[in-house]
Amino acid sequence: MTRQCTTSTGTQGNCLTYTATQAIVAGAGARALGIKVHPAAAAAALAISFTTHYAADRRVPGKGLLEKIATKTGKGGFYKLADFGINGAFHLDGAWHHGWETVAALVATTKATSR
């Protein structure tokens, strides 16, 4: 993954760009579908997205959150796997993001109404 950063500033910039793009696209999509999203719910969802992306994408070997979680749950070997067409860190990163984006989507739709 080319968007992984080992510096705090680089990760923040990537996450801010991602979250801003997400806000624009989600807002346009909600408008096109006739869904009125409550502003506080949208802000909370974007905060969840930013925070969890920042936490996961700050990959410093031996110090990254996903690597620590994988190691503590006995999946450190899978995290380090990079052979046979499988990249464990990539797959765990994707699963982390999909899971948290699902939570963010549920939060965003709290108090949502039709236009």
Side-chain angles (χ1 to χ4, degrees):
M1 298 182 77
T2 59
R3 303 270 306 169
Q4 303 305 324
C5 292
T6 57
T7 66
S8 180
T9 305
T11 303
Q12 286 174 356
N14 288 347
C15 289
L16 284 171
T17 301
Y18 175 80
T19 305
T21 302
Q22 197 174 36
I24 292 165
V25 172
R31 186 177 251 321
L33 294 171
I35 300 169
K36 185 176 181 183
V37 178
H38 191 279
L46 291 168
I48 289 168
S49 178
F50 175 85
T51 303
T52 58
H53 271 80
Y54 180 81
D57 289 350
R58 185 92 163 82
R59 285 196 193 166
V60 178
K63 297 180 183 178
L65 177 65
L66 292 183
E67 185 175 2
K68 286 181 182 179
I69 291 172
T71 301
K72 287 187 181 204
T73 59
K75 302 297 179 191
F78 180 74
Y79 181 87
K80 293 176 183 173
L81 179 64
D83 205 354
F84 306 106
I86 297 175
N87 182 314
F90 172 82
H91 287 293
L92 289 175
D93 181 86
W96 170 271
H97 289 316
H98 289 300
W100 282 109
E101 289 304 325
T102 300
V103 171
L106 292 171
V107 169
T109 58
T110 302
K111 297 185 179 182
T113 59
S114 299
R115 288 192 178 267

